[in-house]
């Protein structure tokens, strides 16, 4: 019923979700305060920061809903259209995937983003949030179900599960769930992938790097590196590794170290780095670590190719950036870095569905099939083929049948 609903009804349902969330804000904030208080002593500061759902985050998700409402309908887009023969037309149109199983970390705001994208794209959703956010998630799902109760598709397009046993159970439901999107630790995502026959979309780690090239504007580079690390260090698109070309390392490292240290960042460096600035030694393991905190590993490289090789070996295929004014160097970096998002002269923190203009995202995918990078509405659709015939038979198009295809492209 949801998949076949009209765009206008889905948009009105989203407007209703926004209204009910605002009406129930006190109830939601109280539930979140309970979660924060119950988990304050056992969570790291970065995870606790994700758990908060206050007025600023409510304002953000409400703005996100407005953005999603303004986006065109992802359902029914004509992706291909050709005439096989005279008045014999084939189309490929976008359709919802079906039922999404979403398992995500302790971010109540992510729940609203995910639900809003699924509603707009006509997908049912089964949600499992982090247990730290149980009360917050209950309050949010309750509000969303209330908001859509009187639609043609009702409230059961969105369901919530809470226990680990529930997660293990839904991994077996390949007849009912069409796609799983796990967001969490590397170990958890691997567990999901290895214990289900349902297709899995997502990423395990966000081990992102910024490479400062020999042709970089060093002042610009300081700003890009600082924002990539400091703006929200707990995010999966925050930079964990800084690579610096040896030609500019002597001048650049003291500049960037001053900025990062002033922002509370703990710096670790390889041997070449430590000859230039006074930082703790970085081990090989540090360059394979997603810190998710104010911590960064630095390496001095002798060439662009060494930087590319380091990223492809140690990175997670999420988001990597180069700072350079050399177009040829930039284009080589773009071509050879095997990541979902590759940027030049800007922060890695731009790897985000909202910032990409997708309205919001259900996550960032590092897989190479279906959807890659921030997954918004288009990433929540599949397609079907529609063939408009007039009594045609394959016999007529076989040898001696008298007819032939002309395969004329119509779009």
């Amino acid at each position: 019923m949801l998949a076949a609903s009209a765009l206008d009804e889905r948009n009105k349902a989203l407007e209703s979700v926004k209204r009910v969330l605002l009406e129930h804000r006190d109830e939601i904030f109280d539930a979140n305060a309970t979660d924060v208080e119950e988990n304050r002593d056992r969570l790291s500061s970065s995870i606790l920061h994700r758990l908060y759902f206050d007025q600023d985050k409510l304002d953000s998700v409400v703005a996100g809903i407005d953005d999603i409402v303004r986006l065109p309908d992802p359902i029914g887009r004509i992706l291909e259209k050709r005439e096989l023969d005279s008045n014999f037309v084939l189309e490929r149109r976008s359709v919802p995937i079906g039922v999404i199983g979403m398992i995500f970390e302790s971010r109540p705001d992510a729940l609203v983003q995910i639900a809003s994208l699924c509603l707009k794209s006509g997908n049912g959703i089964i949600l499992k949030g982090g247990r730290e956010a149980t009360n917050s998630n209950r309050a949010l799902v309750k509000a969303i179900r209330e908001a859509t109760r009187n639609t043609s598709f009702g409230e059961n397009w969105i369901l919530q599960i809470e226990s680990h046993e529930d997660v293990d159970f839904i991994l077996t439901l390949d007849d009912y769930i069409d796609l799983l999107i796990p967001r969490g630790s590397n170990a958890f995502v691997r567990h999901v992938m290895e214990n289900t026959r349902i297709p899995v979309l997502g990423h395990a780690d966000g081990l992102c790097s910024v490479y400062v090239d020999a042709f970089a504007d060093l002042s610009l580079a300081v700003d890009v590196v600082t924002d990539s690390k400091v703006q929200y260090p707990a995010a999966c698109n925050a930079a964990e590794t800084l690579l610096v070309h040896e030609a500019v390392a002597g001048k650049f490292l003291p500049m960037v170290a001053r900025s990062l240290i002033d922002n509370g960042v703990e710096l670790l460096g390889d041997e070449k780095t430590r000859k230039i600035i006074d930082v703790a030694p970085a081990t090989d393991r540090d360059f394979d670590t997603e810190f998710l905190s104010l911590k960064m590993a630095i390496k001095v490289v002798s060439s662009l190719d060494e930087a590319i090789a380091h990223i492809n070996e140690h990175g997670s295929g999420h988001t990597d950036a180069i700072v350079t004014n050399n177009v040829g160097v930039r284009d080589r970096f773009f071509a050879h870095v095997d990541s979902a998002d590759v940027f030049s002269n800007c922060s890695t923190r731009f790897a985000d569905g909202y910032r990409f203009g997708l309205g919001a995202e259900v996550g960032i995918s590092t897989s190479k099939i279906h959807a890659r990078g921030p997954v918004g509405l288009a990433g929540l659709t599949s397609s079907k083929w529609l063939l408009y015939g007039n009594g045609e038979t394959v016999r007529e198009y076989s040898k001696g049948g008298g007819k032939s295809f002309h395969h004329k492209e119509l779009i």
Side-chain angles (χ1 to χ4, degrees), residues 242-259:
L242 172 60
L243 304 172
V244 182
H245 196 288
E246 62 184 10
V248 295
K251 184 176 181 180
F252 177 69
L253 284 176
M255 295 169 60
V256 75
R258 190 176 311 118
S259 175

Side-chain angles (χ1 to χ4, degrees), residues 234-402:
C236 61
N237 57 15
E240 308 291 12
T241 299
L242 172 60
L243 304 172
V244 182
H245 196 288
E246 62 184 10
V248 295
K251 184 176 181 180
F252 177 69
L253 284 176
M255 295 169 60
V256 75
R258 190 176 311 118
S259 175
L260 291 169
I261 292 170
D262 285 348
N263 281 279
V265 180
E266 177 188 353
L267 299 178
L268 310 171
D270 69 344
E271 186 176 343
K272 290 183 179 178
T273 298
R274 298 183 69 227
K275 289 180 179 178
I276 301 171
I277 56 175
D278 183 18
V279 295
T283 65
D284 290 341
R285 184 176 180 180
D286 290 322
F287 291 108
D288 293 318
T289 300
E290 184 182 17
F291 298 116
L292 295 173
S293 63
L294 289 171
K295 196 171 186 179
M296 192 174 212
I298 305 173
K299 181 178 181 178
V300 174
V301 296
S302 60
S303 66
L304 168 66
D305 286 345
E306 184 182 351
I308 292 170
H310 178 98
I311 290 170
N312 287 340
E313 179 181 353
H314 298 276
S316 61
H318 191 295
T319 302
D320 297 285
I322 183 173
V323 182
T324 186
N325 287 330
N326 185 306
V327 173
V329 168
R330 178 202 66 195
D331 290 348
R332 182 171 177 80
F333 187 86
F334 276 9
H336 289 270
V337 169
D338 189 18
S339 296
D341 309 302
V342 187
F343 301 161
S344 73
N345 297 329
C346 61
S347 171
T348 59
R349 289 279 292 120
F350 282 103
D352 174 83
Y354 171 75
R355 298 184 182 106
F356 276 19
L358 306 181
E361 67 181 39
V362 295
I364 293 180
S365 170
T366 54
S367 67
K368 297 184 182 180
I369 57 172
H370 177 55
R372 195 179 189 194
V375 180
L377 290 175
L380 292 176
T381 61
S382 182
S383 64
K384 67 168 63 170
W385 293 97
L386 306 175
L387 184 57
Y388 301 87
N390 303 279
E392 290 83 357
T393 64
V394 169
R395 178 179 53 79
E396 297 174 285
Y397 292 89
S398 301
K399 187 176 180 179

Side-chain angles (χ1 to χ4, degrees), residues 65-90:
I65 293 173
D66 287 335
D67 289 335
I68 293 171
V69 169
R70 285 192 289 266
L71 291 172
D73 194 353
I75 303 174
R77 291 180 297 120
I78 299 176
L79 306 174
E80 297 182 59
K81 186 173 184 178
R82 69 180 57 89
E83 190 177 64
L84 306 186
D85 195 0
S86 180
N87 202 32
F88 189 23
V89 177
L90 177 71

